[in-house]
């Protein structure tokens, strides 16, 4: 019997297997940020350990850095200390660090792929749950805790518990105006925030084959919102075309060797999955969340559900709480919901294609008076590219703020926050209570919906603008 | 990691069920950059109450926390375990633990001892009546000995072995150093590194 992509990558990385204990896996790339790493480095220091392979480790200032006024010191002393601590740790342990404002800086999940550091068949970990993004390349990529990060720093390996596999088949043609963000929101609405628990998801099918690498990254990014351990996609022509010529991609003969290996990783025809779910791409509409977890989403043409619609007692309670937190009435048309703030950015939708889509909608238009729209490129390279294409001007002319790269309003650890009771249409990935700031209300949307909503002031699609 | 074989200390009867990690260590302490020094953060909100058990002698100097069912639920923050250890707690006794908390404890050298709800009740009564009572926790025989009784407990054999040897995951993995080196020799040469000129 054959193997799935995830199983092949796993098997290729087993350093040691022993019945009764977890497999010891080799880690090809370890990404580090300022928020979850300080204790891991301190642990090394206390035990007198070194970083085993500093050259397989990359550190990034992304979570709490400001996205404006980079010439001034960070206002919040605690954030400043976390950034300084990372700088000191990287200098001491010989780890490469991209500092805020630097040419290659950005959200680590945006930067890895654009440098060619993320390649098919690799194992990639980071003290951040959205590490699943890198699965778009056919890498096995997952988030880890602080002790595990220390373990990887010290040994470049990780003891890992076995997983189950789930095929997510997405067949057919996505309707115009929809994107992979809508697919993943629809999937989570269908299987729930715990639906992927214990599984590695493999996205397959004709709709996935047609997606760009950036669209695939958006989908893999949110695998974690379905409770999955990771999500991935078989490497194909699209993957190879994206990787060819990137700074860290193999060159010459090494490329040929790599290409042969990468293409051999696809799930074997006779491999079996532990579970399977199928989505009809043709029936997917733009999705918007109404509640306080990513599974509480509906098509944009729908209305806010009533708690009475839920049979399960716990879900009914959850819906009641969510509606009251979100300040919404059951039965309201989703498109009638007024919004104060629009956030375009994050490791989910902060890439150049996302910015192009939004700029295409905003071009020649103004956002609604009183609306605040923040455009935060996922990386400094994305920022430079957008500026070369004149997108920054489109955003500025429309009345949006053009910022430096970082996580920004996705989690509101820096000054970019949504105020108490304010409502935000956000291209990010989590709509938990208080995620974007104390008392903030978040609706997760695609870049196209974000842009149209900024113009009309209520949840909208580009088609509503005509 | 500190070895764990036996431990004798004062028991702290914490008569609450469903103690979540937000209570064990409130989120504002997660902004810290150190892994030590969380003793002030442990149960920080509850300790504002002068009658809270940890503010009461002799329990304030205790090292064996006897808590209600479902201890450690909620957020996966490892800081919860660090807070307990930094305060001086070596053992938590409960009728049931949250999975992630239990896993994190095993990594850091905190012993989680699972006993029946009846045994927890008996321990609470004893500690209320005789606050000075020392409890003896012995990992190899998997028992808690009090002046009144000997209580058996369960522990995962793999975790037990690690605690007895004082092995953390890292030192265990380090024993496979030759295997790691062998693996590194087989890694394809085309794999990327993170060295950049212009960082
Ligand atoms: S953009 Fe948001 S989800 Fe992505 S890494 Fe940053 S904080 Fe996490």
């Amino acid at each position: 019997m054959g193997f799935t992509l995830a199983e092949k990558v796993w098997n290729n990385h087993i350093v040691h297997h022993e019945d009764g204990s977890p497999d010891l896996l080799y880690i090809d790339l370890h990404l580090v940020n300022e928020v979850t790493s300080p204790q891991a480095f301190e642990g090394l220091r206390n035990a007198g350990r070194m970083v085993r392979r500093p050259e397989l480790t990359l550190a990034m200032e992304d979570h709490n850095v400001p996205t404006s006024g980079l010439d001034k010191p960070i206002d919040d002393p605690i954030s400043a200390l976390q950034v300084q601590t990372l700088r000191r740790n990287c200098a001491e342990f010989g780890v490469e660090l991209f500092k805020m404002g630097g040419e290659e800086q950005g959200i680590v999940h945006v930067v890895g792929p654009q440098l060619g550091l993320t390649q098919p068949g690799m194992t990639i970990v980071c003290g951040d749950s959205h590490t699943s993004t890198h699965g778009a390349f056919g890498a096995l990529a997952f988030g880890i805790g602080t002790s595990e990060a220390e373990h990887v720093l010290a040994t470049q390996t990780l003891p890992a518990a076995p997983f189950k596999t789930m095929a997510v088949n997405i067949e057919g043609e996505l309707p115009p105006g929809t994107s992979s963000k809508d697919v993943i929101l629809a999937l989570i609405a269908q299987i729930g925030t715990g639906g992927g628990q214990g599984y590695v998801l493999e996205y397959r099918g004709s709709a996935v084959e047609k997606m760009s690498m950036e669209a695939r990254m958006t989908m893999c990014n949110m695998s974690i919102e379905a409770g999955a351990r990771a999500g991935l996609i078989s490497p194909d022509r699209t993957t190879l075309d994206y990787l060819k010529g990137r700074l860290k991609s193999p060159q010459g003969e090494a490329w040929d060797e790599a290409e042969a290996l990468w293409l051999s990783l696809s799930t074997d025809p006779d491999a079996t999955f532990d579970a399977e779910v199928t989505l009809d791409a043709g029936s997917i509409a733009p999705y918007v969340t109404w509640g306080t977890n990513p599974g509480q989403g509906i098509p944009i043409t729908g209305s806010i559900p009533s708690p009475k619609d839920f049979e399960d007692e716990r879900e009914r309670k959850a819906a009641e709480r969510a509606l009251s937190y979100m300040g919404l009435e059951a039965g309201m048309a989703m498109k009638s919901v007024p919004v104060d703030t629009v956030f375009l950015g994050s490791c989910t939708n902060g890439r150049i294609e996302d910015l192009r889509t939004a700029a295409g909608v905003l071009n020649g238009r103004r956002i609604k008076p009183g609306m605040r729209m923040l455009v935060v490129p996922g990386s400094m390279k994305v920022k430079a590219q957008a500026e070369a294409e004149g997108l920054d001007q489109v955003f500025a002319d429309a009345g949006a703020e053009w910022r430096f790269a970082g996580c920004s309003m996705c989690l509101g650890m820096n000054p970019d926050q949504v105020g108490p009771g304010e409502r935000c249409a956000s291209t990010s990935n989590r709509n938990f209570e208080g995620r974007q700031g104390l008392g903030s209300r978040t609706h997760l949307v695609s870049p196209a919906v974000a842009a149209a909503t900024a113009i009309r002031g209520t949840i909208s699609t580009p088609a509503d603008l005509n | 990691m500190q070895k764990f074989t036996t431990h004798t200390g004062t028991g702290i009867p914490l008569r609450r069920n469903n103690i979540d990690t937000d209570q064990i260590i409130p989120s504002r302490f997660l902004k810290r950059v150190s892994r030590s020094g969380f003793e002030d953060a442990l149960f920080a909100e509850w300790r504002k109450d002068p009658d809270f058990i940890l503010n009461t002698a002799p329990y304030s100097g205790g090292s064996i926390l006897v808590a209600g069912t479902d201890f450690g639920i909620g957020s996966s923050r490892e800081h919860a375990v660090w807070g307990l250890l930094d305060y001086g707690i070596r053992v938590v006794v409960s009728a049931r633990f949250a999975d992630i908390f239990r896993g994190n404890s095993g990594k850091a050298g905190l012993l989680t001892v699972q006993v029946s709800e009846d045994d927890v009740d008996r321990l609470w009564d004893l500690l209320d009546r005789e606050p000075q009572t020392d409890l003896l926790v012995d990992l190899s025989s998997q028992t808690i000995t009090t002046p009144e009784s000997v209580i058996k407990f369960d522990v995962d054999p793999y975790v037990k072995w690690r605690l007895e040897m004082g092995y953390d995951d890292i030192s265990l993995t380090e024993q496979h150093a030759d295997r790691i080196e062998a693996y590194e020799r087989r890694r394809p040469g085309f794999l990327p590194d993170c060295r950049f000129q212009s960082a």
Side-chain angles (χ1 to χ4, degrees):
Chain A
M1 205 182 67
F3 292 103
T4 65
L5 165 64
E7 288 161 344
K8 290 185 196 183
V9 180
W10 181 282
N11 291 340
N12 284 346
H13 287 84
I14 297 179
V15 170
H16 182 57
H17 169 86
E18 201 175 309
D19 288 341
S21 5
D23 279 353
L24 189 63
L25 295 188
Y26 199 82
I27 302 301
D28 292 319
L29 176 63
H30 182 194
L31 305 169
V32 168
N33 64 50
E34 73 275 30
V35 174
T36 55
S37 68
Q39 292 88 358
F41 281 112
E42 199 197 327
L44 289 186
R45 202 176 287 122
N46 290 346
R49 290 184 170 113
M50 316 273 286
V51 175
R52 181 182 174 86
R53 299 293 301 269
E55 79 280 16
L56 302 185
T57 313
L58 176 65
M60 190 70 75
E61 298 172 4
D62 57 8
H63 273 67
N64 67 25
V65 298
T67 56
S68 60
L70 295 198
D71 47 331
K72 296 190 286 281
I74 300 180
D75 276 346
D76 173 15
I78 302 175
S79 297
L81 178 64
Q82 279 192 327
V83 167
Q84 279 160 17
T85 304
L86 182 66
R87 289 182 183 180
R88 191 173 54 100
N89 285 333
C90 288
E92 181 180 336
F93 289 97
V95 170
E96 193 85 54
L97 167 67
F98 291 158
K99 297 180 182 153
M100 65 179 200
E103 184 184 359
E104 292 291 359
Q105 180 268 355
I107 306 167
V108 77
H109 310 312
V110 176
V111 173
Q114 82 194 4
L115 285 170
L117 271 179
T118 301
Q119 296 174 13
M122 289 173 66
T123 46
I124 301 176
V125 297
C126 175
D128 182 279
S129 57
H130 290 99
T131 311
S132 57
T133 312
H134 307 264
F137 291 79
L140 191 59
F142 46 91
I144 56 175
T146 298
S147 277
E148 290 176 309
E150 183 182 336
H151 190 284
V152 176
L153 288 171
T155 68
Q156 204 56 40
T157 63
L158 193 67
F163 60 90
K164 294 179 286 179
T165 57
M166 183 188 292
V168 179
N169 307 309
I170 309 163
E171 301 289 353
E173 188 103 28
L174 278 172
T178 58
S179 68
S180 65
K181 179 65 164 287
D182 303 304
V183 175
I184 188 69
L185 285 172
L187 175 75
I188 302 165
Q190 182 177 325
I191 71 174
T193 50
Q197 196 120 53
Y199 288 98
V200 172
L201 312 183
E202 181 178 332
Y203 303 98
R204 325 151 40 85
S206 54
V208 179
E209 283 159 24
K210 275 181 233 130
M211 284 179 192
S212 70
M213 285 315 293
E214 297 199 357
R216 293 177 185 183
M217 283 187 248
T218 300
M219 214 160 54
C220 289
N221 173 276
M222 289 191 71
S223 305
I224 194 74
E225 266 65 59
R229 292 190 43 200
L232 40 58
I233 296 172
S234 270
D236 61 7
R237 263 293 128 210
T238 307
T239 322
L240 298 179
D241 290 346
Y242 180 97
L243 281 167
K244 191 116 206 185
R246 302 247 159 206
L247 187 61
K248 288 294 178 179
S249 291
Q251 321 264 329
E253 275 176 33
W255 172 272
D256 298 336
E257 186 197 340
E259 181 178 306
L261 178 84
W262 294 344
L263 293 175
S264 74
L265 292 172
S266 294
T267 295
D268 295 326
D270 58 340
T272 53
F273 290 89
D274 298 307
E276 197 152 349
V277 21
T278 299
L279 258 71
D280 169 19
S283 68
I284 282 170
Y287 254 71
V288 184
T289 60
W290 54 268
T292 51
N293 76 54
Q296 291 172 321
I298 53 170
I300 195 164
T301 46
S303 338
I304 308 297
S306 159
K308 290 200 289 282
D309 301 344
F310 298 92
E311 277 177 22
D312 181 78
E313 168 75 23
R314 288 208 317 280
E315 276 189 46
R316 192 160 54 238
K317 284 259 157 58
E320 264 167 30
R321 253 203 327 273
L323 288 184
S324 115
Y325 181 84
M326 292 294 291
L328 295 172
E329 298 289 336
M332 260 177 103
M334 182 54 101
K335 283 195 183 179
S336 69
V337 174
V339 164
D340 321 286
T341 304
V342 169
F343 173 58
L344 176 61
S346 88
C347 60
T348 313
N349 281 129
R351 297 184 185 77
I352 191 69
E353 288 177 11
D354 303 313
L355 301 195
R356 284 183 193 140
T357 300
V361 177
L362 288 167
N363 197 6
R365 295 183 165 108
R366 296 273 311 166
I367 63 173
K368 191 167 180 200
M371 171 73 64
R372 173 182 180 215
M373 179 173 185
L374 229 60
V375 185
V376 183
S379 72
M380 292 297 279
K381 276 279 157 72
V382 170
K383 180 172 186 281
Q385 175 71 29
E387 286 170 357
E389 296 178 19
L391 305 185
D392 58 324
Q393 205 51 52
V394 174
F395 291 123
D397 290 348
E401 296 174 43
W402 179 244
R403 294 297 188 87
F404 286 85
C407 293
S408 175
M409 204 178 259
C410 173
L411 87 169
M413 261 188 98
N414 76 350
D416 305 336
Q417 300 194 357
V418 178
E422 280 178 11
R423 191 178 299 284
C424 179
S426 178
T427 63
S428 56
N429 46 46
R430 283 182 176 153
N431 52 343
F432 298 147
E433 290 184 15
R435 168 80 177 181
Q436 297 189 288
L438 200 67
S440 60
R441 294 165 168 166
T442 303
H443 296 273
L444 299 177
V445 296
S446 69
V449 169
T453 300
I455 295 164
R456 292 192 73 217
T458 49
I459 301 280
S460 307
T461 66
D464 298 324
L465 298 173
N466 303 323
Chain B
M1 189 168 81
Q2 237 179 307
K3 272 190 197 187
F4 195 105
T5 45
T6 64
H7 176 79
T8 306
T10 303
I12 309 163
L14 183 53
R15 290 177 174 265
R16 301 191 196 199
N17 285 2
N18 292 306
I19 296 175
D20 64 70
T21 52
D22 260 286
Q23 307 310 317
I24 301 173
I25 189 162
S27 63
R28 63 177 185 279
F29 295 99
L30 307 191
K31 282 201 165 191
R32 292 187 177 172
V33 294
S34 65
R35 191 174 194 145
S36 48
F38 284 97
E39 55 275 6
D40 59 327
L42 180 70
F43 296 121
E45 295 305 321
W46 292 354
R47 270 158 80 187
K48 289 178 181 163
D49 171 5
D51 293 333
F52 180 61
I53 189 96
L54 284 188
N55 293 328
T56 328
Y59 306 117
S60 52
S63 56
I64 300 172
L65 187 68
V66 184
T69 307
D70 287 323
F71 188 84
I73 58 173
S75 148
S76 64
R77 57 190 66 168
E78 264 180 56
H79 304 66
V81 176
W82 306 339
L84 287 159
L85 284 170
D86 288 348
Y87 183 88
I89 307 288
R90 295 298 322 273
V91 183
V92 183
V93 181
S94 173
R96 195 163 59 217
F97 293 92
D99 270 347
I100 297 177
F101 177 84
R102 207 171 190 184
N104 287 343
S105 297
K107 284 192 165 80
L110 177 72
L111 179 64
T112 53
V113 163
Q114 188 159 327
V115 299
S116 70
E117 289 192 326
D118 287 348
D119 285 334
V120 170
D121 284 339
R122 272 193 284 277
L123 284 170
W124 280 346
D125 289 343
L126 169 69
L127 294 170
D128 282 347
R129 267 186 286 119
E130 313 272 346
Q132 303 288 353
T133 318
D134 269 347
L135 305 179
L136 166 67
V137 179
D138 180 58
L139 182 55
S140 74
S141 65
Q142 299 183 206
T143 54
I144 306 171
T145 306
T146 78
E148 296 175 352
S149 64
V150 175
I151 300 167
K152 280 287 280 181
F153 61 81
D154 285 335
V155 59
D156 175 75
Y158 183 73
V159 172
K160 175 179 177 177
W161 171 72
R162 263 183 16 192
L163 285 169
E164 283 180 333
M165 304 303 282
Y167 292 148
D168 55 33
D169 274 338
I170 298 180
S171 38
L172 276 179
T173 297
E174 282 170 342
Q175 298 181 342
H176 298 303
D178 49 339
R179 290 191 171 90
I180 298 174
E181 277 163 33
Y183 184 90
E184 284 174 331
R185 285 192 293 274
R186 331 193 270 278
R187 292 180 78 226
F190 62 76
L191 284 165
D193 66 46
C194 307
R195 289 296 179 223
F196 301 87
Q197 305 290 304
S198 63

